[in-house]
């Protein structure tokens, strides 16, 4: 009897492995890298065009045009997230769309869009920092630690 169960168990395991292989998506790493490169490159080209436009056409200095470029890229990312366009860009470009500043803006806006049905305060207000909260927290903490180390280096004379 135990041999029969064992044989049935082996058949079930074999069937399950075949099923898993059938439904598991296969990925072409080189194609994914190419798509990420193209997507990130397009975002960078848009950023460079904004920098050039702000500097030459609007007469902004380098720092101001950089801020202008960042703000416009964030605005576009949030608008594309709100209109459900950015998820398609991410699906195509992967890390090429998630790594730049636009990806961070998308990660902040997406939870707010997803939970807007729960209201302004408990939906959008609370959920908007689901992903951004830890990033902000650790960014501030790291800045504090580095500032403390810099201060200690200044008063001890290590940093000149």
């Amino acid at each position: 009897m135990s041999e029969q169960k064992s044989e049935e168990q082996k058949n079930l395991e074999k069937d399950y492995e075949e099923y898993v292989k059938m439904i598991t998506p296969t990925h072409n790493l080189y194609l994914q890298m190419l798509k990420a490169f193209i997507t990130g490159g397009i975002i960078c080209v848009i950023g460079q065009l904004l920098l050039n436009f702000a500097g030459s056409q609007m007469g902004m200095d380098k720092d101001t045009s950089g801020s202008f470029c960042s703000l416009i890229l964030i605005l576009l990312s949030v608008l594309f997230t709100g209109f459900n366009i950015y998820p398609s860009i991410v699906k195509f470009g992967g890390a090429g769309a998630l790594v730049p500043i636009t990806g961070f803006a998308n990660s902040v806006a997406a939870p707010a869009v997803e939970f807007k049905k729960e209201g302004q305060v408990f939906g959008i207000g609370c959920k908007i920092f689901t992903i951004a909260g830890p990033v902000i927290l650790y960014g501030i903490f790291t800045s504090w630690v580095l500032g403390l180390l810099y201060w200690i280096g200044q008063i001890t004379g290590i940093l000149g």
Side-chain angles (χ1 to χ4, degrees), residues 58-150:
M58 299 176 76
M60 295 181 185
D61 63 359
K62 186 178 179 183
D63 290 337
T64 307
S65 61
S67 298
F68 173 79
C69 173
S70 296
L71 288 172
I72 297 299
L73 286 174
I74 290 169
L75 174 68
L76 290 174
S77 176
V78 170
L79 288 174
F80 285 175
T81 300
F83 290 120
N84 205 24
I85 298 170
Y86 207 84
S88 300
I89 296 170
V90 170
K91 187 175 181 179
F92 173 80
L98 290 176
V99 172
I101 193 169
T102 54
F104 181 71
N106 169 260
S107 69
V108 172
V113 171
E114 183 178 340
F115 290 97
K116 68 182 176 185
K117 64 182 173 276
E118 294 179 21
Q120 295 291 321
V121 175
F122 292 113
I124 297 172
C126 294
K127 298 298 182 179
I128 197 165
F129 291 108
T130 301
I131 295 175
V135 173
I136 294 168
L137 170 71
Y138 290 116
I140 291 171
F141 178 72
T142 303
S143 299
W144 181 84
V145 169
L146 291 175
L148 181 65
L149 292 174
Y150 180 76

Side-chain angles (χ1 to χ4, degrees), residues 13-26:
E13 289 175 5
K14 181 181 173 189
D15 290 343
Y16 180 73
E17 286 178 20
E18 289 176 9
Y19 172 72
V20 168
K21 284 182 184 179
M22 184 177 70
I23 65 166
T24 303
T26 57

